[in-house]
Amino acid sequence: MDHNGELPASVEVKECHASGFDSICVENETNNFSNQIKVWQPSNGDEMKLCISMPSSPTNHCHVDEAKGLENGVPDSSANIKNINQQLHLNHQKLKDKRFDSFKTWSGRLERQLSNLRGKPQEIESDSENIEPLPLPVDRYFDALEGPELETLRASEEIVLPDNKTWPFLLRYPISAFGICLGVSSQAIMWKTLATSPSTKFLHINLIINHILWWISVALVAIVASIYLLKVILYFEAVRREYYHPIRVNFFFAPWIALLFLALGVPPSLVSKLPVPLWYVLMTPIFCLEIKIYGQWMSGGQRRLSKVANPSNHLSIVGNFVGALLGASMGLKEGPIFFFAVGLAHYVVLFVTLYQRLPTNDTLPKDLHPVFFLFVAAPSVASMAWATIQGSFDNGARIAYFIALFLYFSLAVRVNFFRGFKFSLAWWAYTFPMTGAATAAMRYSSEVTNIETQTLCVTLSIVATLTVTALLVTTILHAFVLRDLFPNDIAIAISDRKPKPHKKWFNLTDIETFLKFASSDNKDIEAALKIPTPEATSV
Amino acid sequence: MVLMHISFHISPGLIRLGLVFFQKIFQGAMDHGENPVSIELQEYAEPVPQLLKLISSNEVAGFDSIMEGETPVFPNPTNSSQPNGHQRKISISISMPSSPTGATSAGTKNVLFVQDNAKGFKNGVPESCVGSKAKPKGVKFLSQPMPKGSVFGEGANMNQNPNVKKFKDKRFDSFKTWSGKLERQLTNLRGRQQESESEDDSVRPSENEALPVDRYFDALEGPELETLRASEEIVLPDDKTWPFLLRYPISSFGICLGVSSQAIMWKTLATATSTNFLHISLTVNLILWWISVALVGIVASIYLTKVVLYFEAVRREYYHPIRVNFFFAPWISLLFLAIGVPPSVASSLPVALWYVLMTPFLCLELKIYGQWMSGGQRRLSKVANPSNHLSVVGNFVGALLGASMGLKEGPIFFFAVGLAHYTVLFVTLYQRLPTNETLPKELHPVFFLFVAAPSVASMAWANIQGSFDYGSRIAYFIALFLYFSLAVRINFFRGFKFSLAWWAYTFPMTGAAIATMRYSSAVTNVVTQTLSVILSVVATLTVTALLVTTILHAFVQRDLFPNDIAIAISDRKPKSHRRWFNLIRHGSSEHNADIDTFLKFANGDTKDIEAGLKISSAEAK
């Protein structure tokens, strides 16, 4: 970036190439920029606008792209730029349907490769090499997105998919949809416990409810999973981007946890005893994911825990305890303890890290957010798991249960802070901790049966049921009335380029504040720093 | 540090010397812009050229003891500084900056110096420079450009003075216990004052004070903090091989750890009920035990020689933030010897032995954990490194030994201490705080120490409890998961330069194998037995491979003990002005990346920016 502003034209065009265009764009580029998609602003030679159009190669090696841009027949007079701009305006309609190609599994690269195999090199070869998909660096996610779930685009950022129209349904379908399965199937478990637990016998609850809920959740899991499977097949790039998203990756545990919930909540009339191999089958993916995720925490790189810690990490922990609970209730011995131990070790790490609220934790919501209810999940499930392993609700189980209870109360008294958030499908995942706490309260009150514990478990069950019902109503409203249940999933469409990196640290005092960790105002400061400085650009 | 001296002894001579000193420091900065300090310098540089040479040459060399050697070059430095009385003291204080407050960057020095300079005008030079008291500093700036070439050329020439070569073999003297200070003290005791007292005064603090831990972080890099950064220099000659003892690190005790843990493993293999089917004889254990006894004897006696002969080197190892953990290794290996003692040698060990062995642990732990807790520069968020596990695992090994001896309370005490601090360490290491400068960015063999503590803890708890209960199993499974988690990333463990410290990283594998045998004795089935056999084979193979590598390095490549850079870092920041200078031009794009990465905590470039920030705040004053 050492070229100084002697040749303004060449600099601009180079920057345009720094975007790393996708194949589609490059095709168009060879036609003398006739089919550029995005709208340029011809006014101040804004190279950044140029970069917007279709950047989807995940590496942002600007230098390489620049050099290549110069080679690829870039017109070296600045007069061309305005012509190009006009042509772009004319032709940008034509390509609209191809804009999602970079996310499709079968449309873009592969099709071209197939045609190349057939001996038809209809495009420039060098371009198709360009788009080897590398994972988007995690930095980009932190830079481009904000919000407690890293789902909102920052003002300065652009996305690679058109943001003015609704995307294909599968692209808008996030992995957090499995949260619904978590919420409903945990309800099935709760009603099963309500019906069978000795302490709630006085309620005379029928197992029919469990039966109905279980079948509903089986259907839900099947539907959600099959749709997501379609997405995996058709839009693999989108799934990959979700997998590399620092928050979303935790939701990849949700399908397996939902399956574990289904196995836990299976109505006694249906199956009295589950086959043991089922447990091993269900735990294998969880184990592999854990090796991956916990290894990322430990072994450095950009996904270290001090950076990505977020309450949704509990989803990656709670699977251990749910698995231990299921295994122990099946009568297994060593396997459940293994997962319990792994979960315990990493839960301690996560718990401490989340409580510390390190200033480096970009992903931790500044204020309370429904995601914080996940705090309740792990200890309440752990208490049940330990009770099942141990055979009785002993002191260990009680310690875990009381931790969960305290955290629940601690969040419940702040329920005012939980309003005013935009509804999202991920909220479903935050209901199962309540249900889990209610179930644990029933287990506890079976051990210590008196009015207080019975009242508590009834209260918690009612709260959980009400929450789930409210969420159900909201979801139906959003799905059928407002029709915005699946908004454009910005999180997967961030571009791989930093928009204006040189303006990040405009003055030294900001860095000083940052170094002193005085506040977490990073984003504000960065926003304020986005003042364009021409002299800085031309350096 | 130097500045402090300057501000204390206010005198014109001091100012001159200080100016010369900073003239050298800012030599590199001068081509970038007008430097008021250097211009001011020139006025004082002219009248006393002789003195200037002395200071700059001392400064450039920066050696402790060679200073003394250089006195023949300037037969009586005190005489040369006679014209004003304070100079003698000052000249020495400048050449030996070693006070432990290393936090001040060069930039701070710069600014402070200007202030001190003004003060000096007011107080110290009443008769000659009356006018300068009233004048602002800027008045002097218009004088002719300073002949920095001449002053510096002379300084450089002095540095290459042939006389220096004569003292080459004395370059290691500063690390010797008997050659430097003590010898002088002895002669002083005998009443012979062959050197000027003032020099002694100045030498003493520099040798008695520990190197600040900052210096270790600034000067060294790498996962074991053993590689010198490019900008740094060392106080020992780096072009020749040092004396063997200076190159002999405390991490050599890692060999004892590796081998004596193997002795324990083979003892367990021979005696455990679950591995009876292997029909392993106790002879292997006996042989390995005697080998490890011999190893411990050899390694310890050599290190003891180092302690006696090169105490300064040992002290520098002790203050090294990573190395200090290896000071637990000798005692852990003694514990291992006690645990692995063949039944034919001793059937039951005397209880008193346990107390004797655990005393140094308690003392070291009080020191190390206290440093974590009580702040200062060695706080855990800064020095955390997997090798800290060495300081935790001793508790569990001690608890294991004590419980197997039949003690009750002592083992639980150490188990509890270990558990508490293990939790802290585990969480800190997993978090990978951005302030953790010592944590390797990528995986490194040192990460296998993660496995050590939980596997030993599981055995210790099983011994305390009397059976391999749930507590033991939880610890054991944690160890197993960590082991798997590291094993699947085995690809990342290649490409590191071999070092003796790797031996210490084998004993966790052996420990995991032993714990697996204990576990499979409790839960005997094909899976656990297979697992214990596999882990034992892996551990044995690793130790064998390491043995072969060590022998290769020792006898074929002859680089088993390279120069131990980590103990020889100088106590001065070399060219720190380069750092803040970058930031002054912070509008330029090439440093965007640096600060950008820092903002994202991508790496540990913290120091660069902090150095820069210090100057900015000082400028604000």
Side-chain angles (χ1 to χ4, degrees):
Chain A
M1 301 284 266
D2 268 338
H3 41 71
N4 33 21
E6 299 288 337
L7 317 161
S10 73
V11 169
E12 282 166 7
V13 179
K14 271 194 275 181
E15 291 290 347
C16 138
H17 279 272
S19 59
F21 285 101
D22 190 34
S23 57
I24 308 151
C25 287
V26 178
E27 289 170 35
N28 305 327
E29 235 174 290
T30 55
N31 301 334
N32 200 7
F33 297 97
S34 57
N35 287 332
Q36 199 69 328
I37 295 151
K38 269 286 178 175
V39 181
W40 288 23
Q41 282 154 10
S43 56
N44 49 359
D46 194 348
E47 63 270 24
M48 290 316 168
K49 287 300 174 190
L50 261 176
C51 302
I52 301 167
S53 25
M54 273 305 248
S56 83
S57 113
T59 54
N60 42 4
H61 293 301
C62 287
H63 293 279
V64 179
D65 286 332
E66 274 173 25
K68 198 171 291 168
L70 279 179
E71 286 161 16
N72 282 353
V74 169
D76 42 20
S77 87
S78 61
N80 284 349
I81 300 246
K82 281 188 181 174
N83 287 338
I84 296 166
N85 290 342
Q86 287 161 3
Q87 285 171 353
L88 289 180
H89 276 293
L90 291 178
N91 294 336
H92 86 278
Q93 307 273 350
K94 204 168 75 183
L95 268 178
K96 230 169 199 172
D97 8 312
K98 283 200 181 176
R99 281 191 263 179
F100 302 102
D101 281 3
S102 59
F103 281 73
K104 281 187 188 159
T105 315
W106 307 101
S107 75
R109 192 168 29 112
L110 200 64
E111 252 173 25
R112 222 165 28 246
Q113 279 175 356
L114 285 178
S115 55
N116 282 345
L117 277 181
R118 271 183 258 122
K120 270 200 295 174
Q122 81 263 40
E123 288 142 25
I124 301 171
E125 278 303 309
S126 62
D127 293 332
S128 50
E129 287 165 12
N130 245 351
I131 38 170
E132 275 311 309
L134 292 173
L136 213 57
V138 71
D139 267 350
R140 287 298 305 137
Y141 288 101
F142 290 119
D143 289 352
L145 301 169
E146 59 187 357
E149 288 155 329
L150 274 192
E151 288 190 329
T152 322
L153 200 70
R154 285 179 203 248
S156 62
E157 293 280 338
E158 300 108 12
I159 55 175
V160 294
L161 295 183
D163 52 355
N164 48 6
K165 60 172 273 187
T166 313
W167 302 347
F169 174 71
L170 283 179
L171 273 185
R172 290 180 285 125
Y173 185 78
I175 182 89
S176 3
F178 280 101
I180 305 179
C181 311
L182 287 183
V184 177
S185 52
S186 64
Q187 280 288 315
I189 301 175
M190 192 186 85
W191 286 96
K192 180 185 176 184
T193 319
L194 267 179
T196 55
S197 162
S199 65
T200 49
K201 270 269 147 59
F202 69 96
L203 292 171
H204 300 296
I205 292 192
N206 203 317
L207 265 173
I208 295 283
I209 305 177
N210 164 243
H211 215 287
I212 296 168
L213 277 172
W214 191 78
W215 278 112
I216 291 176
S217 39
V218 166
L220 264 175
V221 169
I223 295 169
V224 171
S226 54
I227 297 179
Y228 201 79
L229 218 61
L230 268 184
K231 183 178 178 183
V232 171
I233 295 169
L234 294 181
Y235 291 96
F236 185 72
E237 171 67 18
V239 175
R240 216 178 49 135
R241 278 166 173 256
E242 281 197 293
Y243 182 71
Y244 284 110
H245 188 288
I247 306 288
R248 287 281 178 85
V249 66
N250 298 305
F251 282 91
F252 278 82
F253 284 93
W256 316 108
I257 298 177
L259 288 180
L260 289 176
F261 277 168
L262 281 187
L264 275 172
V266 63
S269 55
L270 211 63
V271 182
S272 59
K273 194 158 166 53
L274 290 165
V276 170
L278 178 73
W279 187 80
Y280 290 101
V281 171
L282 287 177
M283 292 317 283
T284 312
I286 291 185
F287 182 73
C288 297
L289 268 173
E290 279 169 0
I291 290 267
K292 173 85 182 159
I293 302 287
Y294 303 160
Q296 281 176 349
W297 294 356
M298 190 206 291
S299 66
Q302 283 299 305
R303 285 157 204 281
R304 57 183 74 177
L305 195 59
S306 64
K307 186 155 189 183
V308 300
N310 180 283
S312 61
N313 284 111
H314 277 116
L315 283 176
S316 63
I317 302 281
V318 85
N320 291 305
F321 296 125
V322 180
L325 175 59
L326 177 67
S329 64
M330 276 176 171
L332 292 172
K333 212 69 199 154
E334 302 304 318
I337 300 178
F338 176 82
F339 280 101
F340 188 88
V342 172
L344 185 67
H346 294 90
Y347 178 66
V348 171
V349 174
L350 182 67
F351 189 72
V352 172
T353 311
L354 286 175
Y355 248 100
Q356 284 180 329
R357 297 184 76 96
L358 296 168
T360 53
N361 255 340
D362 294 344
T363 54
L364 207 55
K366 280 210 196 60
D367 294 308
L368 282 176
H369 183 271
V371 75
F372 272 86
F373 268 100
L374 283 176
F375 261 101
V376 183
S380 56
V381 182
S383 79
M384 287 187 281
W386 185 249
T388 318
I389 288 172
Q390 192 73 3
S392 72
F393 209 91
D394 70 346
N395 284 340
R398 280 176 207 202
I399 286 174
Y401 167 68
F402 287 135
I403 290 174
L405 205 62
F406 176 82
L407 291 172
Y408 197 151
F409 283 154
S410 168
L411 291 170
V413 297
R414 289 173 176 78
V415 79
N416 271 345
F417 293 110
F418 289 105
R419 295 179 308 186
F421 292 101
K422 198 166 144 282
F423 172 78
S424 100
L425 211 53
W427 286 28
W428 275 98
Y430 313 149
T431 62
F432 91 87
M434 296 188 190
T435 318
T439 318
M442 284 170 227
R443 292 289 296 265
Y444 176 66
S445 76
S446 303
E447 189 74 20
V448 184
T449 314
N450 57 37
I451 290 289
E452 285 86 20
T453 58
Q454 285 174 330
T455 318
L456 186 68
C457 70
V458 171
T459 315
L460 289 184
S461 313
I462 291 173
V463 169
T465 313
L466 283 182
T467 315
V468 170
T469 316
L471 216 50
L472 187 70
V473 172
T474 320
T475 309
I476 290 174
L477 266 181
H478 277 274
F480 297 109
V481 181
L482 298 166
R483 296 192 160 276
D484 63 350
L485 186 59
F486 295 102
N488 281 353
D489 190 10
I490 306 289
I492 61 164
I494 58 170
S495 88
D496 53 354
R497 228 175 12 79
K498 304 191 178 183
K500 291 156 193 168
H502 53 273
K503 278 146 211 154
K504 270 234 175 102
W505 42 283
F506 191 62
N507 44 15
L508 219 56
T509 50
D510 290 326
I511 301 177
E512 221 171 316
T513 343
F514 186 77
L515 280 175
K516 282 184 202 134
F517 299 120
S519 69
S520 51
D521 287 344
N522 301 352
K523 284 184 281 294
D524 295 344
I525 292 173
E526 281 176 4
L529 288 176
K530 291 285 171 354
I531 311 150
T533 49
E535 66 273 13
T537 344
S538 62
V539 169
Chain B
M1 27 203 167
V2 176
L3 296 168
M4 296 320 288
H5 287 279
I6 290 174
S7 51
F8 287 151
H9 317 288
I10 300 154
S11 82
L14 171 74
I15 294 166
R16 273 172 227 152
L17 295 169
L19 287 172
V20 175
F21 176 50
F22 285 108
Q23 177 192 5
K24 189 231 166 219
I25 283 189
F26 291 116
Q27 181 196 16
M30 269 189 277
D31 19 339
H32 301 296
E34 288 298 300
N35 195 325
V37 178
S38 58
I39 292 170
E40 255 181 316
L41 256 178
Q42 189 264 333
E43 287 214 350
Y44 292 97
E46 282 167 350
V48 272
Q50 172 78 12
L51 186 60
L52 286 176
K53 281 183 213 163
L54 166 65
I55 301 310
S56 52
S57 71
N58 283 345
E59 177 42 44
V60 170
F63 289 157
D64 284 347
S65 53
I66 290 179
M67 267 286 299
E68 301 156 26
E70 271 178 306
T71 41
V73 182
F74 305 97
N76 33 11
T78 45
N79 287 346
S80 76
S81 56
Q82 277 306 326
N84 39 36
H86 299 279
Q87 263 177 354
R88 184 182 42 132
K89 200 189 295 173
I90 292 139
S91 72
I92 289 156
S93 73
I94 285 176
S95 61
M96 291 260 176
S98 82
S99 90
T101 57
T104 52
S105 71
T108 326
K109 283 175 197 162
N110 178 19
V111 176
L112 282 179
F113 171 68
V114 174
Q115 291 168 348
D116 284 335
N117 192 17
K119 205 189 294 172
F121 283 126
K122 273 186 233 154
N123 302 331
V125 204
E127 70 278 10
S128 62
C129 301
V130 182
S132 71
K133 198 198 287 180
K135 277 185 221 164
K137 305 175 287 214
V139 174
K140 302 205 177 275
F141 290 1
L142 295 175
S143 56
Q144 68 261 52
M146 74 152 262
K148 62 184 175 189
S150 68
V151 176
F152 253 92
E154 278 168 356
N157 287 341
M158 294 310 293
N159 200 22
Q160 292 156 3
N161 196 308
N163 281 345
V164 176
K165 292 212 170 68
K166 193 169 73 184
F167 298 99
K168 218 169 207 175
D169 29 54
K170 288 201 180 174
R171 280 194 264 180
F172 303 103
D173 281 2
S174 61
F175 283 75
K176 283 187 187 158
T177 314
W178 306 101
S179 74
K181 185 178 31 138
L182 200 64
E183 251 173 26
R184 220 163 35 245
Q185 282 174 353
L186 286 178
T187 50
N188 283 345
L189 277 182
R190 270 184 257 123
R192 267 202 291 160
Q193 304 258 352
Q194 86 261 42
E195 287 149 23
S196 65
E197 274 302 311
S198 62
E199 208 161 315
D200 245 5
D201 285 343
S202 70
V203 165
R204 200 164 291 137
S206 84
E207 288 185 1
N208 283 346
E209 280 167 25
L211 215 54
V213 71
D214 264 348
R215 287 300 302 139
Y216 287 101
F217 289 121
D218 289 352
L220 300 170
E221 59 187 358
E224 287 156 328
L225 274 193
E226 286 190 334
T227 322
L228 201 71
R229 285 182 202 267
S231 61
E232 293 280 337
E233 54 204 23
I234 55 174
V235 295
L236 294 184
D238 52 355
D239 49 345
K240 59 175 270 187
T241 313
W242 304 346
F244 173 72
L245 283 179
L246 274 185
R247 291 179 284 125
Y248 185 79
I250 182 88
S251 6
S252 312
F253 281 101
I255 305 180
C256 311
L257 286 182
V259 178
S260 52
S261 64
Q262 280 287 317
I264 302 175
M265 191 186 86
W266 286 96
K267 180 183 178 185
T268 319
L269 267 179
T271 55
T273 54
S274 65
T275 49
N276 264 342
F277 69 97
L278 291 172
H279 300 297
I280 290 180
S281 162
L282 266 172
T283 321
V284 188
N285 164 243
L286 190 64
I287 295 168
L288 277 171
W289 191 76
W290 279 114
I291 291 177
S292 39
V293 166
L295 265 174
V296 170
I298 295 169
V299 171
S301 55
I302 297 178
Y303 202 80
L304 218 62
T305 321
K306 183 178 177 183
V307 172
V308 173
L309 293 182
Y310 292 96
F311 186 72
E312 171 67 17
V314 175
R315 216 177 51 134
R316 277 166 173 257
E317 281 196 294
Y318 181 72
Y319 284 112
H320 188 288
I322 307 286
R323 287 282 179 82
V324 65
N325 298 305
F326 282 90
F327 278 83
F328 284 94
W331 315 108
I332 297 176
S333 54
L334 287 181
L335 288 178
F336 278 169
L337 283 185
I339 293 173
V341 61
S344 54
V345 174
S347 57
S348 77
L349 294 164
V351 170
L353 178 71
W354 187 79
Y355 290 101
V356 172
L357 286 177
M358 293 316 284
T359 313
F361 274 107
L362 191 63
C363 301
L364 268 174
E365 278 166 6
L366 284 179
K367 172 85 180 159
I368 302 286
Y369 301 162
Q371 280 175 349
W372 293 357
M373 193 205 291
S374 66
Q377 284 299 307
R378 284 157 204 281
R379 58 185 75 178
L380 196 58
S381 66
K382 186 156 189 183
V383 301
N385 180 283
S387 60
N388 285 112
H389 277 118
L390 282 177
S391 62
V392 171
V393 85
N395 293 305
F396 297 125
V397 181
L400 174 59
L401 177 66
S404 63
M405 277 176 172
L407 292 171
K408 212 65 202 149
E409 301 307 317
I412 297 180
F413 171 80
F414 279 102
F415 188 89
V417 172
L419 187 65
H421 293 91
Y422 177 66
T423 311
V424 173
L425 182 65
F426 186 72
V427 171
T428 311
L429 285 176
Y430 243 107
Q431 285 182 330
R432 297 186 77 93
L433 296 169
T435 52
N436 250 342
E437 301 179 27
T438 53
L439 203 55
K441 286 208 187 62
E442 301 298 333
L443 283 177
H444 183 272
V446 74
F447 271 85
F448 269 97
L449 282 175
F450 260 101
V451 183
S455 54
V456 182
S458 80
M459 289 186 277
W461 185 249
N463 271 17
I464 290 172
Q465 194 71 3
S467 73
F468 209 90
D469 69 346
Y470 286 143
S472 305
R473 282 178 204 200
I474 286 177
Y476 168 68
F477 285 135
I478 290 173
L480 204 63
F481 179 82
L482 292 172
Y483 198 150
F484 282 156
S485 175
L486 291 171
V488 296
R489 288 176 173 77
I490 196 77
N491 271 345
F492 293 108
F493 291 105
R494 296 179 309 189
F496 292 103
K497 198 166 146 279
F498 173 79
S499 98
L500 211 54
W502 287 29
W503 275 97
Y505 314 149
T506 62
F507 92 86
M509 295 188 191
T510 317
I514 303 169
T516 308
M517 283 171 230
R518 293 289 299 265
Y519 173 66
S520 77
S521 300
V523 182
T524 313
N525 59 38
V526 173
V527 179
T528 58
Q529 283 174 331
T530 318
L531 192 66
S532 58
V533 171
I534 290 175
L535 289 185
S536 314
V537 170
V538 169
T540 313
L541 283 182
T542 313
V543 170
T544 316
L546 216 51
L547 186 71
V548 171
T549 320
T550 310
I551 290 174
L552 268 181
H553 276 275
F555 298 109
V556 181
Q557 305 189 14
R558 297 192 162 275
D559 62 349
L560 185 61
F561 296 103
N563 280 353
D564 190 11
I565 305 290
I567 62 163
I569 58 170
S570 84
D571 50 358
R572 236 169 7 84
K573 298 198 178 189
K575 301 163 198 157
S576 31
H577 59 276
R578 205 172 41 82
R579 285 198 185 137
W580 58 262
F581 187 75
N582 286 347
L583 214 84
I584 285 180
R585 302 184 296 140
H586 66 275
S588 69
S589 62
E590 61 199 83
H591 301 294
N592 285 7
D594 287 352
I595 299 187
D596 233 39
T597 31
F598 175 72
L599 283 176
K600 279 180 218 128
F601 295 106
N603 53 22
D605 284 346
T606 322
K607 286 178 300 302
D608 290 351
I609 298 192
E610 275 178 357
L613 283 175
K614 263 170 204 146
I615 181 156
S616 80
S617 54
E619 270 167 355
K621 261 190 240 172

